[in-house]
Every structure is written in structure tokens, then in C-alpha cells.
Amino acid sequence: MRAAPDDPVYRNPVLDADWSDPDVIRVGDDFYLTASSFGRVPGLPLLHSRDLVNWTLVGHALHRLEPESEFAVPRHDCGVWAPSLRRHDGRFWIFWGDPDQGIFQVNAPEIRGPWTRPHLVKAGKGLIDPCPLWDDESGEAYLVHAWAKSRSGVKNRLTGHRMHPHGTELLDEGKVIVDGDRIPGWFTLEGPKLYKHDGWFWILAPAGGVETGWQGAFRSRAFFGPYEEKVVLEQKDTDVNGPHQGGWVRTPSGEDWFLHFQQRGAYGRVVHLQPMEWDPDGWPVIGDDGAPVTEHRRPDLPPQRPAAPATDDDFPGGRPGRQWQWTANPRDGWATHHSADGLRLTCVRTPDAHDLRALPNVLTQRLPGTPCTVEVDLRLDDGEPGARAGLAVLGDAYSWIGLERGTDGAVRLVHRFAETAAERERDAAPPRPAPGGRARLRVDIGAGARCRFSYDTGDGGGDGAGEGFRPSGQVFAATPWRWVGALLGLAALAPTGQGHAGTATFTQFRIRIQEKRADR
């Protein structure tokens, strides 16, 4: 829910969807934010705001994942982890860790690009959550990163390096500058963000796990330490579990603010905005004396109209909007550009037609964090038997509703699902006639991301005209991936075979948010 321009109060979360591991900077009067994108393409989303409350998606910094061959298939929890966004020497810089490859960076003269191709700054397994710092006082450059135990066998520590000022390479083998094992009660220290303030090197980093942990602050007079630590944000008696990993930003008037995420199951990692001040001993105080705020006075910034990243799409010219991402590096021929509105997807032949989770050609966007209704029109064009397309709620388990052409040439409305451990999907409801080869598909998503599917084939589902939407199957509870929230997806596919399998056209994709927040 966004505050009206004349409302002196904003309410959290300010980004109520899965904008995981956010980092933020200010350039003049503009604020920019990036977030993890894992294995989806394009990656490294770029968001813009003038008031830290209302955000719009203005582009992506990463157009293909590398090496391209490894991301030709879905790797939902891999790829781009916890990026850091910085402005230095007239350019924007983003550093991130790929847990299987190492630390990468891209840079650009403007936020909308053109962005360079990914450059591997340091190769290695388990190198994650990197953050650079260019020290204007000394002219030195540094980088800090965390560790993924799943790849390296190491966690709960932060390693620091001297970095070449060009940002292209590290100048030493690195030194552990914060060892969480030496701090009583601390575990899973990760996600560092590095700053220089008031003569101190500062590292803001969470620990304790994404669902149960806290935000810490570390400071030292020298980059390589020693550092002292303090917990500066934790759940306390609020309902904001594990306030975690984010970035600090200062407004032109000198106010300090902190953006962080909260893990919310199938909704992923939603973003909160916290006020930030400094205590008499020079430590940051975030939120309400270290507890997350649900609502607060707005930042001292010019009022802006309510805004949020786009969700609706008419697909003009056959092109999906910025909010859409493929589940792997896209290939030519998946979508056809044309002169009218509507997304025309090829029914890609695949041996994995029984499992949407294995398909690279699923076009996705984030599941809204509030109850909502999702609708889209679908037409299944001439094609081969087995060609199908539909609207999915996709995670470790998934469910989809759509159209399929049978061996008799007739098109039917189908609804299928797959449980988390299932290797194949199965029917969630009996197939129904769709004599026009068209349907409007709907998912009503309520409290706890519980999804009720329905459809309108224009003839009352074959039982009489004018009956409108009809429910299909049982309620489906959306599930996240390991690190990623559930996704909304559009897919067109067909079993293996010879020749073109046909196309499917999606039009008028809409998400209507319900104002009553029943699950908060």
C-alpha cells in the first residue's frame, strides 16, 4: 500500500514483493536500488525513486547470465546473489557473487546503461555478497565479501581485500576481518555493505538467518580491523521476522534511512524502509530504538505520486514489459514480435513437458505480497496435438491452468499441478471443452498465498452461456524456491516431435490488488 502524496506517513513494506537482498544509493535527487535476480533473465533489476517510498522499475543491468551454456536451463537458486550498487568516478557499478563461479561486476555511465558485460573480479567457489568501497581520503579501494558454506565449507565470516581502483581485480589473497565464530551467539554472518563515515570503516551486515536473525553494525579505524560490533535492528516484539540485509542512504537534507528485506515465505523477500539516526557513541540506531517500524513519518523529500513496479501488460508489439524475466537465458524464436498487442509465444517442443520447473521458456514476474486477482486472456493457435499454454503459479510446487490441443484436434481447458517432490505433474481438475480455443484465466491469491484458479471459456465451461468464471480444482498453496519467492508464469510448450508445434497468444494481463491486507 502506497501513501498518498499528502499523507505524512508511509507504511511498510515499501516494496511488497520479492526484491531480495536490496542495495540502494543516492545520486543527486534520485535514489536507485538493485536486488538479487538469481537464475532469471534479464537480471540485476534497477529501480528508481525520488522519495524512498514509491519505486518504479527502470531496467536491468544484466541481459544474459554467463557462462551462457550453464544458464541455458533453469538454475532457480543460482546465478546473481546479493548485489551491491555504487557510484564512483562518474559511473554506476554493481558487484555480485555467483556462488559457483566467483565475484563479478558490471558498470555503466548511466543507470539505464549501456552496461558492460560481466567481468570476473575473483574466481572461486562460495564467494558471495561482495561490496566495494573507494576511499576518497586515501585513494585506496577495498572489497568485502561473505561465504556460502554449501560451496566452500566456510560461513559466518567476512573477508576483506584491497582492490584495484579500476574495480577489475583484487590485489591480495584476502584476510578475515570479521569472524562471527568469535562473537558469542552470532552465526550465519553474511550480506556485508561497506561504507566510510566519520573516520570509521563501517560494515552493515546481518546474521542469525534470514527468517530469525538481526542486523549488525561493525566499525574500525582501519579497513582490516579490528572491528567492534553491535546489533542495530532486530525483531523484538514486532511481526517483522529477521529484519535482514540492506543498504544505508542519506538524503540531501542529511536524513539517514535503511532499506532491508523481510522473508515472507511464498512472497519472498519484501522490502522495508527504516529511519536511521546516530547515538552519542557514534553507532547507528535503526527503526524505533532498534525495532522495525510498521509506519513512520515520510522522509524529508518532495512528495511524489504513488507508484510501484509495473505488473499489468498488454504486450505491445509482442514484447513483454520490464517486469518479466525468463527462467533461463532466452533463445531466438520463443516470442514473436508483431505489429499488434499480445504476447505470441511459440509452443516450444521439450522432453520436459511434464514439469514446468525444468523449462527455460517460462516468462515470469514476482508474486505480489498482498491478496490479489491475476487474469490473462489466452488463445491457442493452430498447432500439433499436445501443444499447450497457460498461467502458472510457480515454485518448488506449482499449479497452472490453460489450454491444450488433443489428438482429435479439439482444444480443452486443463488444470494441472505438481507437488514439491513430484517428478511429473497431474490433473488438478478434469479437462473441459474450450470450443473456441480461447479462455480467460484467473487466479485469486488470498491470505497465505493460497491460490484459487478459475476460467471463463466464453460458454460457461460447456454447460451453458453467460455463466462467467468457473472455479477449477482445489485451493493451491504457493511455495517458494529455496531462496526465491513464488512466481507468476506464462508458458507455451509441446512434447518432443517434428516440426512447428504452433503458438499461443496472451493478452490483457492484469493484477488487481485487494486493498484489505488479510494476511498481515
Side-chain angles (χ1 to χ4, degrees):
M1 296 176 63
R2 300 295 182 269
D6 58 350
D7 189 339
V9 171
Y10 73 89
R11 294 163 185 85
N12 276 317
V14 293
L15 283 167
D16 203 356
D18 188 24
W19 301 95
S20 178
D21 312 315
D23 194 23
V24 62
I25 60 170
R26 178 177 67 86
V27 180
D29 294 327
D30 298 289
F31 298 91
Y32 299 104
L33 181 148
T34 191
S36 295
S37 50
F38 298 96
R40 302 195 301 278
V41 182
L44 290 174
L46 302 167
L47 288 84
H48 170 257
S49 177
R50 285 286 183 93
D51 65 358
L52 290 172
V53 174
N54 296 283
W55 294 87
T56 56
L57 179 64
V58 297
H60 292 82
L62 185 63
H63 298 291
R64 298 187 73 82
L65 288 162
E66 297 185 6
E68 292 201 14
S69 60
E70 292 192 15
F71 290 95
V73 296
R75 302 180 67 203
H76 297 288
D77 299 321
C78 301
V80 177
W81 284 22
S84 292
L85 174 62
R86 292 293 181 265
R87 176 79 171 172
H88 169 70
D89 196 25
R91 299 184 72 84
F92 291 90
W93 300 76
I94 302 178
F95 285 68
W96 76 93
D98 179 316
D100 300 301
Q101 299 184 71
I103 295 170
F104 288 89
Q105 60 97 335
V106 292
N107 58 86
E110 303 293 340
I111 197 69
R112 291 174 174 81
W115 289 85
T116 60
R117 286 189 61 175
H119 173 78
L120 185 61
V121 178
K122 181 176 175 60
K125 295 281 190 179
L127 308 178
I128 59 169
D129 308 352
C131 184
L133 172 70
W134 287 268
D135 186 348
D136 293 333
E137 296 177 7
S138 67
E140 297 287 327
Y142 304 97
L143 183 136
V144 63
H145 69 82
W147 294 87
K149 186 175 182 179
S150 59
R151 272 70 164 188
S152 64
V154 175
K155 73 167 188 174
N156 205 32
R157 65 188 64 173
L158 306 179
T159 296
H161 297 264
R162 292 180 60 243
M163 183 177 71
H164 194 291
H166 290 166
T168 54
E169 61 182 317
L170 303 181
L171 302 180
D172 56 33
E173 292 302 312
K175 174 186 175 183
V176 175
I177 57 177
V178 180
D179 186 346
D181 289 346
R182 295 179 178 272
I183 307 173
W186 284 60
F187 60 96
T188 317
L189 177 62
E190 58 186 351
K193 294 294 181 280
L194 181 59
Y195 307 92
K196 186 78 176 290
H197 170 66
D198 197 26
W200 296 88
F201 288 89
W202 287 92
I203 299 173
L204 301 182
V210 295
E211 294 185 358
T212 57
W214 56 89
Q215 183 70 36
F218 301 83
R219 69 180 183 185
S220 174
R221 292 296 185 182
F223 171 71
F224 287 103
Y227 282 84
E228 52 185 325
E229 81 284 341
K230 185 176 183 180
V231 175
V232 293
L233 184 68
E234 56 187 325
Q235 181 173 356
K236 296 189 176 181
D237 60 356
T238 75
D239 66 352
V240 181
N241 58 293
H244 209 78
Q245 190 169 338
W248 161 41
V249 69
R250 177 166 285 178
T251 68
S253 65
E255 288 185 346
D256 293 305
W257 296 86
F258 185 73
L259 283 150
H260 68 91
F261 78 75
Q262 174 199 11
Q263 174 68 40
R264 288 192 57 220
Y267 299 117
R269 299 171 176 182
V270 303
V271 179
H272 292 238
L273 176 66
Q274 304 294 339
M276 177 171 154
E277 297 179 340
W278 301 86
D279 72 16
D281 295 324
W283 288 95
V285 179
I286 301 177
D288 180 7
D289 194 25
V293 300
T294 301
E295 58 182 47
H296 193 270
R297 173 189 57 81
R298 296 169 66 103
D300 181 21
L301 293 164
Q304 304 294 316
R305 292 183 177 179
T311 57
D312 295 355
D313 206 347
D314 289 320
F315 309 105
R319 294 170 172 82
R322 294 189 183 102
Q323 65 268 36
W324 297 98
Q325 297 171 291
W326 298 100
T327 49
N329 282 328
R331 303 172 201 167
D332 292 340
W334 286 357
T336 302
H337 296 167
H338 52 87
S339 59
D341 288 353
L343 178 69
R344 189 176 299 161
L345 295 183
T346 299
C347 294
V348 176
R349 291 193 181 276
T350 173
D352 296 313
H354 57 277
D355 190 345
L356 294 186
R357 295 165 296 197
L359 301 186
N361 58 304
V362 181
L363 196 61
T364 68
Q365 65 167 285
R366 293 161 179 83
L367 186 75
T370 58
C372 64
T373 297
V374 182
E375 290 186 7
V376 67
D377 282 334
L378 170 62
R379 183 183 76 239
L380 189 62
D381 300 317
D382 290 342
E384 296 294 312
R388 68 202 72 163
L391 168 66
V393 178
L394 192 64
D396 273 344
Y398 72 86
S399 187
W400 71 279
I401 191 168
L403 299 173
E404 181 176 46
R405 188 173 298 277
T407 55
D408 59 357
V411 177
R412 294 175 177 83
L413 190 291
V414 296
H415 181 191
R416 298 192 175 120
F417 77 103
E419 299 170 87
T420 298
E423 296 182 358
R424 304 181 67 88
E425 65 186 24
R426 56 194 180 97
D427 285 338
R432 300 175 184 272
R438 298 170 179 264
R440 185 146 183 89
L441 310 173
R442 174 187 286 176
V443 186
D444 290 295
I445 306 173
R450 294 173 62 82
C451 304
R452 169 66 77 179
F453 289 78
S454 57
Y455 64 93
D456 181 1
T457 55
D459 67 346
D463 297 326
E467 295 184 17
F469 279 96
R470 298 169 61 87
S472 180
Q474 300 299 313
V475 171
F476 170 76
T479 64
W481 309 96
R482 187 176 183 188
W483 309 123
V484 182
L487 300 166
L488 299 171
L490 303 178
L493 59 145
T496 54
Q498 299 298 318
H500 185 61
T503 61
T505 301
F506 295 88
T507 54
Q508 298 185 61
F509 183 91
R510 298 288 184 269
I511 297 180
R512 298 195 306 273
I513 300 295
Q514 301 173 19
E515 289 300 322
K516 182 180 179 181
R517 305 184 62 168
D519 60 342
R520 296 289 292 165

